[in-house]
């Protein structure tokens, strides 16, 4: 069992930055592939970015060059640094974990979800 708790969401103006954190507990964190998804009002949850056990990363095209995912295995935490935010980034952001070495690519590959944290970008 893995518990995921997100933090760091909030209200920011367009062009601003936020850093999300996701603290994991319950299993050896370094064995997990991690990811961030988001869900905007009236839309389906979408993949944003993922980081594998070996540190390799993947991003959806719309956030490349603006968002950075990282992990600190000593602190059992994964981070999402979001820069140059725009109103289209407004969503609830969810942390996700997958046990094992395979990367997270879609929601179907996720084993555990966090409860989500709201990010609102004003224009």
């Amino acid at each position: 069992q893995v518990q995921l708790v997100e933090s760091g969401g909030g209200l920011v103006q367009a062009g601003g930055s936020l850093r999300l954190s996701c603290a994991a507990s319950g299993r050896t964190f370094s064995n997990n592939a991690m990811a961030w998804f988001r869900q905007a009002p009236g839309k389906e949850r979408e993949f944003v970015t993922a980081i594998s056990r070996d540190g390799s990363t993947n991003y959806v095209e719309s956030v490349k060059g603006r968002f950075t995912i990282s992990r600190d295995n000593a602190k059992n935490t994964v981070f999402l640094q979001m820069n140059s935010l725009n109103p289209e980034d407004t969503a609830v952001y969810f942390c996700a974990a997958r046990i094992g070495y395979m990367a997270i690519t879609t929601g179907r590959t996720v084993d555990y979800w966090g409860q989500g944290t709201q990010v609102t970008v004003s224009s």
Side-chain angles (χ1 to χ4, degrees):
Q1 193 76 3
V2 174
Q3 293 79 42
L4 304 173
V5 179
E6 302 97 333
S7 61
L11 175 64
V12 64
Q13 288 188 333
S17 298
L18 280 175
R19 189 191 195 204
L20 305 184
S21 299
C22 172
S25 61
R27 291 179 67 109
T28 304
F29 177 76
S30 59
N31 290 339
N32 302 341
M34 303 295 296
W36 290 93
F37 289 71
R38 65 186 179 186
Q39 187 167 18
K43 295 187 177 181
E44 294 186 353
R45 190 174 300 188
E46 67 167 351
F47 171 88
V48 177
T49 179
I51 185 166
S52 299
R53 299 197 309 182
D54 64 1
S56 58
T57 59
N58 188 31
Y59 297 89
V60 68
E61 193 65 33
S62 61
V63 307
K64 284 182 179 178
R66 300 188 300 122
F67 290 12
T68 302
I69 189 172
S70 61
R71 64 190 298 162
D72 185 337
N73 290 338
K75 296 182 178 179
N76 291 353
T77 303
V78 63
F79 304 98
L80 180 62
Q81 178 66 43
M82 304 185 294
N83 299 328
S84 301
L85 285 161
N86 58 62
E88 290 70 38
D89 295 316
T90 295
V92 177
Y93 283 72
F94 296 89
C95 180
R98 181 179 188 179
I99 307 304
Y101 65 90
M102 296 294 289
I104 294 173
T105 54
T106 69
R108 295 193 181 112
T109 60
V110 173
D111 293 318
Y112 299 98
W113 293 97
Q115 83 288 350
T117 185
Q118 177 69 47
V119 171
T120 303
V121 184
S122 63
S123 56

